[in-house]
Amino acid sequence: MANEVILLDFWPSMFGMRTRIALREKGVEFEYREEDLRNKSPLLLQMNPIHKKIPVLIHNGKPVNESIIQVQYIDEVWSHKNPILPSDPYLRAQARFWADFIDKKLYDAQRKVWATKGEEQEAGKKDFIEILKTLESELGDKPYFSGDDFGYVDIALIGFYTWFPAYEKFANFSIESEVPKLIAWVKKCLQRESVAKSLPDPEKVTEFVSELRKKFVPE
Amino acid sequence: MANDQVILLDYWPSMFGMRTKMALAEKGVKYEYKETDPWVKTPLLIEMNPIHKKIPVLIHNGKPICESLIQLEYIDEVWSDASPILPSDPYQKSRARFWAEFIDKKFYDPSWKVWATMGEEHAAVKKELLEHFKTLETELGDKPYYGGEVFGYLDIALMGYYSWFKAMEKFGEFSIETEFPILTTWTKRCLERESVVKALADSDRIIEYVYVLRKKFGAA
């Protein structure tokens, strides 16, 4: 088919990073369109009228919304190369479970780490570390979350890494000290071209988060 | 599958458990239902769902699958010879997943807060709930089912909540039939299916249960 693939995205979004990685894993050429979230484009509002959020994947004019749904869509449409989800139904269910866990637990927890202060931040940091430890336990000694191959859960989680220095800076702790195996996993993932090309410089993310934090925690 | 052992840890009023029951029935899968009060963390529940410790948990040949929507996909993939739950087309599948997630992420909160809150908060919650009902009705449009001609994933996802509609109406002081006639027609169509009817808890019993919960939540 004649493939027109557009990704409406915002560069520091860990959700957009998932879709970027998935497309690159499949060797799909796409047009990246940066959205200004303070001035959303008519196309974004048209393509995601319910949530009005990025990322939006537009494939031959049709929108697919929600990053984790986009990753599954990409896996199904371009199914000939680098499978993202395992073929075994039980392993697929497990991968979906952990991606769901990340979306339900990790995102909210990380927000408290950089967007709050004082006791609320300390409690948030504790929660965040606990969640990372749960994920590290699940990873265990495997190179990737579903075993030998980079896949769905790795894609779901790796984008958060670019925010790690910001968390460390604003909550004053070391993630590597807490979850060394998880950081080793991060380094392995970063060796993949699809990941390296899709993730922004963590320093730039930290600058971005610094500005963002000013809105939530007046100095 | 020969010699399949299928167990469902569930709690009778759970809209999430009702989904899984419908899906299993749609596939003609025999299973053992184990009533599991989620407030009482039994060793089996903790073992099978150590992360969330919630029901429903589907246990297939000793292995646990947690989260109702994940269970639906699993059931569809494992018993793939029986009537499909998800569309095969990737785009249609993505739309089904999107709306099911909408139900759990957006619709769920006001759906219980409408009977658990009072005053100004209640008014805001009711407004939000009605908006979400309208959104879901609009998405249905004039199709007989959410997936088109065939009962499937999204119908199961939303019909799981059907038993609670009466409680929403009572405490929200609105009528679904009056406000959302197209959605009402759809519910009646779904209720013609044995898989749906057998999976659903009695609406009046849910209302009694809500009175109990409201005391716990301090909304009485």
Side-chain angles (χ1 to χ4, degrees):
Chain A
M1 68 180 80
N3 266 319
E4 186 199 44
V5 181
I6 297 171
L7 182 63
L8 306 186
D9 201 352
F10 180 51
W11 69 272
S13 167
M14 58 275 272
F15 301 110
M17 292 175 210
R18 294 171 168 175
T19 311
R20 294 174 224 161
I21 294 168
L23 288 166
R24 289 191 164 105
E25 282 289 313
K26 299 292 188 173
V28 177
E29 289 195 8
F30 63 99
E31 181 193 337
Y32 177 97
R33 291 194 194 178
E34 183 75 359
E35 281 284 327
D36 178 357
L37 298 184
R38 291 163 298 183
N39 187 21
K40 296 177 181 180
S41 72
L43 183 61
L44 173 54
L45 300 178
Q46 178 196 341
M47 291 288 144
N48 194 350
I50 300 296
H51 298 312
K52 305 176 183 65
K53 289 190 310 189
I54 56 87
V56 181
L57 180 69
I58 309 175
H59 183 204
N60 295 329
K62 291 161 139 185
V64 181
N65 291 310
E66 296 293 325
S67 63
I68 215 62
I69 293 173
Q70 287 160 6
V71 172
Q72 289 182 91
Y73 177 83
I74 290 163
D75 202 26
E76 287 158 12
V77 170
W78 292 282
S79 57
H80 59 289
K81 179 187 178 184
N82 284 7
I84 291 173
L85 273 163
S87 54
D88 174 75
Y90 181 70
L91 294 178
R92 287 163 79 84
Q94 289 302 99
R96 287 189 173 116
F97 175 85
W98 286 106
D100 183 68
F101 175 86
I102 290 163
D103 277 357
K104 277 184 176 151
K105 301 293 188 186
L106 184 62
Y107 179 72
D108 282 346
Q110 63 87 37
R111 202 171 170 288
K112 290 200 171 86
V113 175
W114 62 265
T116 62
K117 65 179 182 180
E119 277 177 28
E120 194 183 357
Q121 186 180 42
E122 281 306 304
K125 181 165 88 175
K126 192 181 171 191
D127 269 354
F128 178 71
I129 291 169
E130 207 55 46
I131 288 161
L132 288 185
K133 285 187 175 180
T134 299
L135 288 164
E136 191 185 50
S137 282
E138 174 58 22
L139 178 64
D141 292 323
K142 295 169 287 174
Y144 298 109
F145 272 89
S146 60
D148 290 331
D149 299 315
F150 180 82
Y152 192 70
V153 181
D154 308 296
I155 289 172
L157 182 59
I158 190 61
F160 285 84
Y161 158 74
T162 58
W163 288 62
F164 280 12
Y167 306 146
E168 290 178 317
K169 173 176 176 172
F170 294 114
N172 190 31
F173 71 119
S174 162
I175 294 174
E176 185 156 17
S177 300
E178 303 286 348
V179 285
K181 278 183 184 175
L182 200 67
I183 297 302
W185 162 83
V186 165
K187 288 170 181 171
K188 186 182 282 83
C189 290
L190 290 175
Q191 287 167 12
R192 289 182 86 78
E193 192 175 357
S194 65
V195 174
K197 277 189 167 179
S198 298
L199 300 194
D201 181 353
E203 276 187 30
K204 288 195 163 58
V205 174
T206 302
E207 283 168 30
F208 168 77
V209 179
S210 295
E211 287 304 307
L212 210 57
R213 180 172 163 86
K214 289 175 187 174
K215 294 182 193 172
F216 293 96
V217 186
E219 289 163 8
Chain B
M1 230 173 267
N3 296 321
D4 256 341
Q5 188 201 42
V6 183
I7 297 172
L8 182 65
L9 307 187
D10 191 16
Y11 188 49
W12 70 271
S14 170
M15 59 280 275
F16 305 112
M18 290 181 220
R19 292 170 164 173
T20 310
K21 284 191 268 178
M22 282 177 212
L24 289 166
E26 282 289 314
K27 297 289 189 171
V29 177
K30 290 183 179 168
Y31 63 97
E32 180 191 347
Y33 177 93
K34 281 185 190 279
E35 182 77 351
T36 308
D37 186 335
W39 309 109
V40 180
K41 307 301 181 187
T42 63
L44 180 59
L45 179 58
I46 291 169
E47 182 194 345
M48 291 292 138
N49 194 349
I51 301 297
H52 297 309
K53 304 176 187 65
K54 290 189 309 188
I55 53 86
V57 183
L58 181 69
I59 308 174
H60 185 204
N61 296 328
K63 293 155 123 183
I65 296 95
C66 305
E67 298 296 319
S68 65
L69 293 179
I70 293 173
Q71 288 160 5
L72 297 194
E73 297 229 25
Y74 179 82
I75 290 164
D76 205 25
E77 288 165 9
V78 170
W79 291 280
S80 56
D81 49 318
S83 46
I85 289 173
L86 276 152
S88 54
D89 172 70
Y91 179 68
Q92 294 304 326
K93 198 181 290 189
S94 76
R95 287 191 65 76
R97 285 179 177 138
F98 174 84
W99 284 107
E101 195 166 315
F102 174 88
I103 291 167
D104 280 0
K105 269 187 178 173
K106 298 291 189 186
F107 180 81
Y108 172 72
D109 258 12
S111 79
W112 66 267
K113 285 177 178 171
V114 73
W115 51 258
T117 56
M118 295 167 69
E120 275 178 30
E121 191 187 357
H122 181 263
V125 158
K126 172 180 171 175
K127 180 171 181 284
E128 190 190 346
L129 180 61
L130 293 179
E131 279 166 10
H132 292 333
F133 264 120
K134 174 51 74 179
T135 299
L136 288 164
E137 189 182 53
T138 301
E139 175 58 21
L140 178 62
D142 51 14
K143 294 170 288 176
Y145 298 107
Y146 274 97
E149 299 301 308
V150 178
F151 179 84
Y153 184 75
L154 198 47
D155 306 296
I156 290 171
L158 186 54
M159 279 305 286
Y161 284 78
Y162 177 79
S163 298
W164 292 78
F165 279 12
K166 201 166 180 182
M168 294 177 206
E169 289 178 295
K170 181 180 177 64
F171 294 98
E173 289 166 359
F174 67 95
S175 161
I176 291 172
E177 186 158 14
T178 303
E179 307 266 358
F180 313 107
I182 293 169
L183 200 71
T184 300
T185 301
W186 164 81
T187 61
K188 287 172 180 172
R189 185 174 297 113
C190 291
L191 289 170
E192 288 166 5
R193 302 180 81 81
E194 191 176 351
S195 64
V196 173
V197 173
K198 280 191 168 178
L200 293 177
D202 179 72
S203 296
D204 290 319
R205 190 179 174 197
I206 293 286
I207 289 177
E208 285 168 31
Y209 181 62
V210 166
Y211 277 115
V212 173
L213 289 177
R214 272 166 63 88
K215 282 180 187 171
K216 280 190 189 179
F217 285 43

